[in-house]
Amino acid sequence: MELNKEAIEQLDRVTRLKIINSVSGIKPANLIGTVSEDGITNVAIFSSVVHLGSNPPLIGFMMRPKGNVPRNTYQNIIDKGFYTINHIHPEFVERAHYTSAKFDALVSEFERCNLTEEYVDGFKAPFVKESTFKIGLKFQQEIKIDINNTSLIIGEIEHLIIPDNVFGKNSNIDLTSSNTVGISGLNSYYSLNKIAEHPYARVKETPEF
């Protein structure tokens, strides 16, 4: 199949959405946990989490156009300033998937999707207890992208919970050992298998291929 710009524009909305959401490949599947000013917890699945820097340790994720659709995760982050990112594991993929449903702001996805809130060391946002790989972040910046009315939400890591068994040689993290799940498109989930590990790439050490 080959599609040019005109052909892509002529696709029906759902087909275009599925294709374009998949072409970037397998992405990390994460649950973002927040709490509202009224104390209602929220957890939602995101596939757009990305590393932005190590010093300071920054992670970003894309927030879709807000428009007339309530974005509880966004509002909670803006209001409270703290949130968590939690890896998804095979044991609760289905429950994680259904957090994407458009529940009312008064409904906690933790409760509705049978996930467990967990607070660690006084951190001000809920972690997902079922996840073994968790990140606590403080909101730092929102970068608005006018071309499609999305936003890049940037947070600084303040808390990390990582399983001991994922650390390989040279402090590399092995996501196969953490049993982390990936996602493609809107609803296809994948297990991750490590296939290789290579040294830091230096010009003088590059092999002759």
Side-chain angles (χ1 to χ4, degrees):
M1 180 173 68
E2 182 177 345
L3 299 172
N4 58 23
K5 183 176 184 295
E6 183 180 47
I8 293 171
E9 291 173 347
Q10 290 177 353
L11 294 171
D12 67 85
R13 176 183 174 275
V14 174
T15 300
R16 183 172 64 248
L17 188 151
K18 288 181 177 180
I19 291 175
I20 301 304
N21 269 274
S22 298
V23 294
S24 58
I26 297 174
K27 303 177 286 292
N30 290 285
L31 287 170
I32 295 184
T34 61
V35 61
S36 73
E37 290 195 313
D38 295 326
I40 299 170
T41 55
N42 174 277
V43 64
I45 190 168
F46 282 80
S47 63
S48 58
V49 172
V50 61
H51 159 82
L52 294 177
S54 300
N55 187 23
L58 301 177
I59 291 181
F61 74 94
M62 295 303 303
M63 179 64 63
R64 290 183 294 176
K66 293 176 275 296
N68 296 321
V69 179
R71 299 293 182 196
N72 299 326
T73 297
Y74 172 81
Q75 196 59 53
N76 293 347
I77 290 173
I78 297 301
D79 290 344
K80 302 290 287 186
F82 293 89
Y83 57 104
T84 68
I85 295 176
N86 308 265
H87 286 206
I88 296 172
H89 309 303
E91 296 78 12
F92 59 96
V93 165
E94 183 177 24
R95 285 176 282 164
H97 173 74
Y98 279 96
T99 64
S100 62
K102 296 178 175 62
F103 294 108
D104 186 272
L106 298 177
V107 174
S108 170
E109 290 85 355
F110 277 100
E111 181 177 347
R112 181 63 182 83
C113 296
N114 193 26
L115 294 165
T116 310
E117 303 166 23
E118 181 179 51
Y119 290 87
V120 179
D121 292 343
F123 191 78
K124 298 178 182 179
F127 293 88
V128 176
K129 186 175 182 178
E130 288 79 3
S131 175
T132 63
F133 201 125
K134 320 176 201 197
I135 311 166
L137 301 104
K138 182 178 182 180
F139 171 68
Q140 294 293 345
Q141 186 178 359
E142 175 183 4
I143 298 177
K144 295 184 178 180
I145 301 173
D146 294 335
I147 193 170
N148 63 352
N149 195 30
T150 58
S151 291
L152 175 63
I153 306 298
I154 301 172
E156 182 173 355
I157 297 175
E158 290 200 345
H159 203 88
L160 276 174
I161 301 171
I162 303 175
D164 292 336
N165 69 317
V166 307
F167 283 98
K169 60 183 180 181
N170 301 320
S171 298
N172 289 332
I173 289 180
D174 182 359
L175 294 178
T176 299
S177 298
S178 72
N179 218 13
T180 291
V181 167
I183 185 171
S184 177
L186 301 177
N187 53 4
S188 296
Y189 297 87
Y190 296 81
S191 61
L192 304 179
N193 292 304
K194 184 176 180 179
I195 61 171
E197 183 174 318
H198 300 287
Y200 183 84
R202 294 180 172 86
V203 172
K204 65 180 181 180
E205 297 173 2
T206 301
E208 293 297 330
F209 295 109

